Amino acid sequence: QEKGLKSFLQSVPESAWANMEVHIYGSGPDEEDLRQFIIQSSLEPKCFFYGRQPHRKILEQLPLYDALLLPSIWYENTPLTIVEAAFAGLRLLCSEWGGVKELANYCGGAYLFNPEDIESTGKAIVRLKSDIDSGVNLKRDKSHLEKSFSNSTFINSHISLYSGNQNLQRSKIKALFLDRDGILIKDIQFPHRPEDFHLKEDILP
């Protein structure tokens, strides 16, 4: 639900469907509701489900598409799918909220929309389609992205953050970092309702 697919499909102008398909990768507790909505809206010829796929398979499929759609209606932190799509040469049709907006703009080739505004969504789709048809250049600096998202850049930035901060060294702060799903709570894939959270029995001690 938090990925915003249903609200996005509701916002697509009818005229846009003539030249557009949506291929959906992944799964979740609201998949059946989404399928029913697609059937009721007569969008079956335009929407395709592929379920959960291995990461390797996703990377193989990305170059086959014109754009990555990420219409999240919650404030994602660092959705690296955007970076992977950028390296694959895709345009980025994304919501303008949180880390999604920041990362899409950083990668270039972004078509942002307000997921709560039907008019905004429609304009982004029309602009995307127009740029694809006319072959507008993405203006994406891949060499810059390669430097920004390399393993060495990631590692060095963290080393600099922790070893270069003398105040942090002197304070001798003790910290415990815990992963949530499968560590603190039972892993059920993308829990987003209070009733989905169940502490693991062995974690409290």
Side-chain angles (χ1 to χ4, degrees):
Q1 181 183 8
E2 67 271 15
K3 291 297 180 183
L5 273 169
K6 185 175 180 180
S7 57
F8 172 81
L9 295 177
Q10 290 171 323
S11 302
V12 176
E14 190 172 337
S15 58
W17 285 113
N19 299 292
M20 186 175 79
E21 291 180 354
V22 175
H23 292 213
I24 302 165
Y25 289 83
S27 186
D30 293 311
E31 180 180 338
E32 187 55 37
D33 178 56
L34 184 62
R35 286 180 181 273
Q36 289 303 315
F37 168 78
I38 287 171
I39 291 171
Q40 292 164 8
S41 304
S42 301
L43 293 176
E44 285 180 287
K46 296 292 183 177
C47 297
F48 303 87
F49 287 83
Y50 293 91
R52 292 176 64 84
Q53 298 286 336
H55 185 237
R56 173 187 52 76
K57 180 74 171 178
I58 297 290
L59 294 181
E60 290 173 357
Q61 295 295 108
L62 276 175
L64 303 178
Y65 294 98
D66 294 309
L68 170 79
L69 168 65
L70 192 60
S72 292
I73 54 175
W74 68 298
Y75 287 81
E76 294 200 46
N77 185 9
T78 49
L80 292 178
T81 303
I82 289 176
V83 178
E84 293 171 338
F87 277 116
L90 277 68
R91 299 172 192 271
L92 308 169
L93 181 60
C94 304
S95 67
E96 59 181 17
W97 290 2
V100 173
K101 176 183 179 179
E102 288 185 36
L103 214 46
N105 278 333
Y106 189 84
C107 289
Y111 301 77
L112 302 175
F113 59 90
N114 180 348
E116 292 184 335
D117 182 351
I118 291 178
E119 186 178 349
S120 170
T121 304
K123 285 181 178 179
I125 293 171
V126 169
R127 190 162 58 90
L128 169 68
K129 178 68 168 54
S130 174
D131 286 356
I132 290 173
D133 289 345
S134 56
V136 170
N137 192 289
L138 277 174
K139 297 178 183 177
R140 179 176 293 151
D141 187 347
K142 274 197 174 182
S143 61
H144 173 64
L145 291 184
E146 285 170 358
K147 292 175 184 175
S148 300
F149 294 101
S150 68
N151 285 338
S152 59
T153 298
F154 178 81
I155 292 168
N156 290 334
S157 66
H158 281 69
I159 290 174
S160 173
L161 174 66
Y162 291 106
S163 64
N165 191 327
Q166 297 301 317
N167 290 331
L168 187 63
Q169 287 181 349
R170 283 195 295 269
S171 65
K172 295 182 179 177
I173 296 172
K174 294 180 179 179
L176 173 66
F177 296 89
L178 291 173
D179 183 50
R180 186 191 69 179
D181 299 340
I183 305 298
L184 295 177
I185 67 171
K186 295 177 181 177
D187 188 0
I188 63 162
Q189 298 179 13
F190 310 117
H192 61 283
R193 298 172 299 187
E195 58 266 30
D196 292 335
F197 284 80
H198 302 283
L199 281 171
K200 294 188 72 176
E201 295 175 359
D202 58 347
I203 198 65
L204 291 179

